[in-house]
Each structure stands twice: as structure tokens, then as C-alpha cells.
Amino acid sequence: MRTRPTHTALAAALALTTAATGCTTPGTAGVDEDTVTVGMLHSLSGTMAISEVTVRDAVQLAIDEINADGGVLGRQIEPVIEDGASDEATFAERAQKLLTSDDAATVFGTWTSASRKAVLPVFERNNGLLWYPVQYEGLEASDNIVYTGATTNQQIIPALDHLREQGHTSLYLVGSDYVFPRTANQIITAYAQAHDMDIVAEEYTPMGHTEYSTITNDIAHHEPDAVFNTLNGDSNVSFFQQLRSAGVHADDTPVLSVSVAEEEIDGIGADNITGHLTAWNYYQSTETEPNSRFVQAFTDTYGTDRVTSDPMQSAYNSVHLWKAAVEQADSFEVDDVRAALDGITIDAPEGTISIDGTTQHLVKTSRVGQVNDDGLIDQIWSTPEPITPDPYLESYDWASDLHS
């Protein structure tokens, strides 16, 4: 692995000392004497807007902070905002526009693995650099993506470890019908087989699905020790409401979700999800000094009724990590920035994070939380140390069939 000088920054004041001048000259795509263009690509409409609008807001907050502190290599960041509209084809079209028409130096965005995979060929073809902020199913590493959310061994596997430690040996799997839940459940099934756990059932529904009474009644009938939930978007609202109506409660059958964070709880209703579990790397309640400043900055900007969450925090970190890499490279060029990624480190709201240059994933701490009566999430468990990313699960013997 290459070694690079380490950078440290503070979240919500996470700006590094800005270089007075840089070797990047006007004429570089998206860069002139005063500004650098970046892309923001999120679902601002459709079924995923419940999750992605706040990610857009977090990226904008980071940009505003950096600009107020002097910008990047003496240039102000100018974002071009596009709506992926919860549609893979639209994401690909907007990515092409950002890279070729707008000459974006980099792009922050996408959420679902389907949208990420839809834009990946666009970034590879145009040698763009996407900063992807969401946990995902792993089994991928592209030179044209920096993955700032968790890969499988930093979220799903630690969550399974926690459930097993709590004596939960039978699981009911429910997810949205696309690549992330299906791949995640293949991994969960392989883990279960290796650890004497039983998969009671495995059910999928289309994105945006709202009728869950058949599935929730089936969960009530089977009485599994726990439910592992990989539903995405506003389907979670219907699922948890109907689960409660079916008489399934967290005390008896906890649901562990990997795509429900603080932002979604308000739509679901705290009464419908209190006591259930989540697995992330960050919560609004995470106790770090950078997080206290970050939460304050976010609520000062967007209102005291707004909450912070893991994906939006990862998106916020992405902008500061990109700035650190640009300043390390003294260049906005993608190849130069990519060469500078390894070892870039910041003190983020979730704790200290650093980029593993080999995989372009982050070293991160895994956390399990429980939803409280106020609609926030209390951490109840975490890994003792940050976890090195292993997107292809090469260090797990039981996963050999998955990464071979």
C-alpha cells in the first residue's frame, strides 16, 4: 500500500489550511482563476427523496463551510445540483451532463446501489470521480469511486455478530428488490450457514411498495428471533406501521435495519419503530467533539427540527476528504487526486476516518443503535476499533464462494 502524509481536520470546522496558490492552472475542466465546479447528484423527487434530500443539504453545508474558509486551492466551490429522481436512467443521464457539459471536477452523490451502478460506466468512461456516501453490499471497488459509507464488513457483518451475541439465531429477511438487498442477503445467508443461524424466510418487494400486511403477518406467524431489514426509501414507513399492526414488537422480535436512519424515523413515526435496531457508523447522538459542532452547524443552518444521519454525515465528510486530497495533490485533476487519496485522514463527526488507497473505501467504526421514544438513535454497541475495509470479504473463509 502506498503511504501518504496524513491530514487532520475538524468536522463543522473541518477546513484545512488552504494553499495560497496551486499548480492547477485555468483551463483545467471546471476550474478557472476563481472557482471550481463540482456536481451534486441526489434524488430530490421520487421514492428515495425521503432519504436523499438531507444528503444534498449536508454536501451544501460542507461546501459553504469550505468557501467561507477560503475555498480549495484559493478557489470557491460552485456546485451544480441535479435530481436523479429515484430513477437509474435519470442518474446516468445527469452524471453524463455533470461530467461533460458542466465539466465538474468531481461529483458527490447517488444513494441506492442501483443508481451507483447505473452511473459507474459514465464515470469510468469519462474518468470522473464520484464520492458515494452510503453503506452498500460490497463486492465492488472502482478507481472512479471513493466509498465513504460502510462496506459489508463494516456494517452488515458486525450487525450479525451483535445479533448472534444477543442469542438471536433465527432471522427473517425482508428487502427491496434490487442489487443491494439481494447481495446483502446472499452474504447474510452465507454468514448464517457458517454460524448455525437459521434463515426463516427471505422476501422482496419493489421500490416504493406500500402493502406489507402479508409479510408482517408472516413474520408474526414465524416468530423469528429478529428481522434483518434491507428495505430502502419510503417503503419503510408502510412496513413498520403494518408490522406494529400485526402485533410484532421490538421486545420480542427486534427489526435490525441498515437503511433506516434518523431522517427516516420522522416519516415512519417514532411510535412505530421505538425499540428497534439500526446498524450504521454514525448517529446524531455519537459522542465526539466534531459531532457536537457538526450537529450545531447543521441545525443552525437548516432548523432545530432537522436531524443528522449516517449517510448525510458521510456525504459531508466526502467534501472535506476531497478538499484534503486536492490540496495534497496540489491539483484538481482526477488522476492526481486519486494518487493522493491513500492515508488522507480527518477527524469527522463519527470519529477519525481515513482512506484506504487500495480499495478507495474508508477505515470506520461500526455501531449498532436502538431507536428511542424521541425518534433519535442511542448507540448500544460498537466495535472496539475502526475496521479496515474488506469489500470483497477476502479475509472471511465462509465468504469464499462470494468473492471467488
Side-chain angles (χ1 to χ4, degrees):
M1 182 184 299
R2 301 185 306 274
T3 58
R4 299 280 174 181
T6 296
H7 293 248
T8 301
L10 297 176
L14 269 171
L16 301 175
T17 302
T18 302
T21 60
C23 68
T24 301
T25 56
T28 298
V31 181
D32 62 25
E33 291 281 5
D34 301 313
T35 64
V36 54
T37 299
V38 304
M40 295 166 57
L41 180 57
H42 308 95
S43 291
L44 308 180
S45 59
T47 188
M48 288 306 302
I50 186 176
S51 299
E52 295 189 51
V53 168
T54 192
V55 177
R56 183 271 318 269
D57 294 344
V59 172
Q60 187 65 61
L61 176 64
I63 289 172
D64 290 344
E65 289 177 352
I66 291 169
N67 282 342
D69 198 54
V72 183
L73 296 184
R75 294 168 177 84
Q76 294 286 287
I77 304 172
E78 288 196 347
V80 177
I81 301 172
E82 293 291 345
D83 180 10
S86 305
D87 175 74
E88 289 81 13
T90 302
F91 267 103
E93 175 191 341
R94 296 293 187 264
Q96 182 72 27
K97 171 186 176 293
L98 287 169
L99 293 177
T100 59
S101 297
D102 300 308
D103 291 330
T106 200
V107 177
F108 305 97
T110 76
W111 177 295
T112 68
S113 288
S115 63
R116 186 191 71 254
K117 288 185 178 294
V119 305
L120 178 54
V122 178
F123 280 87
E124 291 181 338
R125 184 169 60 247
N126 294 282
N127 195 31
L129 189 62
L130 171 68
W131 296 77
Y132 178 64
V134 187
Q135 51 76 27
Y136 81 114
E137 72 282 356
L139 306 182
E140 180 181 296
S142 169
D143 288 344
N144 296 94
I145 299 180
V146 182
Y147 305 78
T148 63
T151 188
T152 316
N153 76 309
Q154 298 169 315
Q155 186 199 33
I156 289 176
I157 292 174
L160 290 167
D161 289 341
H162 174 73
L163 289 175
R164 191 162 57 91
E165 289 171 5
Q166 297 301 306
H168 301 311
T169 60
S170 63
L171 301 178
Y172 194 111
L173 309 182
V174 58
S176 300
D177 193 4
Y178 74 101
V179 61
F180 163 61
R182 287 194 173 273
T183 305
N185 285 339
Q186 288 178 1
I187 294 168
I188 292 168
T189 299
Y191 178 100
Q193 290 172 349
H195 294 89
D196 296 322
M197 300 177 76
D198 181 35
I199 303 300
V200 174
E202 184 175 341
E203 297 290 344
Y204 298 94
T205 60
M207 293 288 289
H209 194 67
T210 59
E211 176 48 59
Y212 283 94
S213 60
T214 299
I215 290 176
T216 56
N217 287 331
D218 196 45
I219 292 171
H221 170 72
H222 280 98
E223 298 183 339
D225 291 342
V227 176
F228 207 105
N229 172 32
T230 52
L231 293 172
N232 263 258
D234 53 13
S235 290
N236 279 295
V237 176
S238 299
F239 172 71
F240 278 101
Q241 290 174 350
Q242 293 167 41
L243 188 71
R244 187 185 183 198
S245 297
V248 178
H249 301 291
D251 290 344
D252 301 316
T253 308
V255 177
L256 191 147
S257 301
V258 292
S259 294
V260 173
E262 289 87 344
E263 183 70 16
E264 289 79 19
I265 291 171
D266 183 59
I268 293 169
D271 289 348
N272 295 312
I273 196 171
T274 295
H276 289 293
L277 307 176
T278 64
W280 292 102
N281 308 101
Y282 164 89
Y283 301 110
Q284 180 169 309
S285 60
T286 297
E287 295 182 356
T288 67
E289 283 300 318
N291 189 41
S292 297
R293 292 190 290 272
F294 170 60
V295 172
Q296 188 67 55
F298 189 81
T299 55
D300 283 350
T301 302
Y302 296 110
T304 56
D305 60 328
R306 295 290 299 275
V307 294
T308 60
S309 66
D310 185 291
M312 54 153 308
Q313 183 254 178
S314 290
Y316 172 85
N317 294 340
S318 296
V319 187
H320 288 285
L321 288 164
W322 171 73
K323 175 182 185 287
V326 166
E327 293 183 342
Q328 172 63 20
D330 199 24
S331 170
F332 292 103
E333 294 285 358
V334 167
D335 289 341
D336 297 335
V337 173
R338 181 165 44 233
L341 291 173
D342 190 32
I344 294 293
T345 300
I346 63 173
D347 292 330
E350 67 182 271
T352 301
I353 56 176
S354 59
I355 300 176
D356 168 42
T358 301
T359 64
Q360 294 185 184
H361 290 64
L362 300 190
V363 178
K364 301 166 72 74
T365 298
S366 179
R367 296 176 165 94
V368 172
Q370 186 172 45
V371 180
N372 64 33
D373 293 336
D374 296 325
L376 295 177
I377 302 172
D378 299 321
Q379 178 180 310
I380 61 173
W381 179 87
S382 71
T383 54
E385 301 291 340
I387 302 171
T388 299
D390 183 4
Y392 287 96
L393 302 179
E394 294 174 334
S395 61
Y396 298 87
D397 291 341
W398 54 263
S400 59
D401 289 342
L402 298 169
H403 60 67
S404 58

